[in-house]
């Protein structure tokens, strides 16, 4: 969010104006054209395996390292986030809740909020693997 002058404004996530930033999805964008923006200029984006190699080989980390991770495993990430990151050559690590992948059940915290967002499928995870996305559980 930016003021009219263009400088960024920090908004508490509990404020009503912030709701689209944590509840918007690809299917229900809540008026957002872009939910997140990755500031990568001047940063070295690493995968978790890269980080492991730096530590295990006792090499110094590059300047301003950053890692992008996903938690839970929502199906929409297969349609939007992962393809966008991979098209830009940005590494990412994707953690999934294997019980939900296997069962197809929505996450309890979403159901409690009256939402039903599908979890990833096994086919999504195969696609991620083929794209070189690091997977974890």
């Amino acid at each position: 969010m930016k003021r009219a002058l263009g400088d960024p404004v920090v908004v508490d996530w509990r404020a009503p104006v912030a709701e689209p930033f944590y509840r918007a999805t690809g299917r229900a964008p809540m008026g957002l054209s872009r939910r997140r923006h990755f500031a990568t200029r001047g940063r070295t984006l690493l995968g978790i395996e890269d980080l492991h190699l730096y530590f295990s080989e006792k090499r110094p980390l590059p300047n301003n390292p950053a890692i992008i991770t996903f938690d839970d495993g929502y199906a929409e990430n297969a349609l939007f986030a992962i393809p966008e990151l991979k098209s830009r050559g940005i590494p990412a690590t994707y953690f999934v809740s294997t019980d939900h992948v296997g069962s197809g059940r929505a996450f309890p915290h979403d159901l409690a909020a009256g939402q039903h967002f599908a979890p990833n499928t096994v086919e999504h995870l195969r696609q991620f693997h083929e794209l070189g996305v690091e997977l974890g559980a």
Side-chain angles (χ1 to χ4, degrees):
M1 172 178 248
K2 293 187 180 215
R3 293 192 294 192
L5 297 174
D7 55 329
V9 175
V10 176
V11 177
D12 186 289
W13 70 272
R14 294 165 289 201
V17 71
E19 184 178 9
F21 292 95
Y22 65 89
R23 295 208 44 204
T25 67
R27 271 186 263 141
M30 299 178 75
L32 295 180
S33 60
R34 181 173 62 182
R35 182 171 175 195
R36 300 280 195 267
H37 174 74
F38 298 107
T40 58
R41 185 169 294 148
R43 299 193 185 282
T44 303
L45 295 172
L46 304 172
I48 285 185
E49 277 296 315
D50 299 325
L51 185 64
H52 173 74
L53 287 173
Y54 277 101
F55 285 133
S56 66
E57 295 173 2
K58 297 183 177 158
R59 292 187 287 146
L61 286 170
N63 290 333
N64 299 313
I67 294 176
I68 297 173
T69 64
F70 291 82
D71 293 330
D72 294 335
Y74 290 103
E76 288 185 337
N77 292 327
L79 300 173
F80 302 104
I82 297 301
E84 179 68 20
L85 291 173
K86 296 320 286 182
S87 74
R88 296 172 182 260
I90 297 174
T93 301
Y94 200 89
F95 294 97
V96 296
S97 177
T98 55
D99 181 50
H100 294 276
V101 170
S103 70
R105 285 192 334 268
F107 296 100
H109 55 271
D110 290 330
L111 294 174
Q115 305 287 332
H116 185 279
F117 300 116
N120 285 119
T121 64
V122 171
E123 183 56 33
H124 291 147
L125 301 182
R126 284 188 185 113
Q127 291 171 3
F128 295 170
H129 177 72
E130 290 170 8
L131 288 170
V133 174
E134 296 173 339
L135 297 171

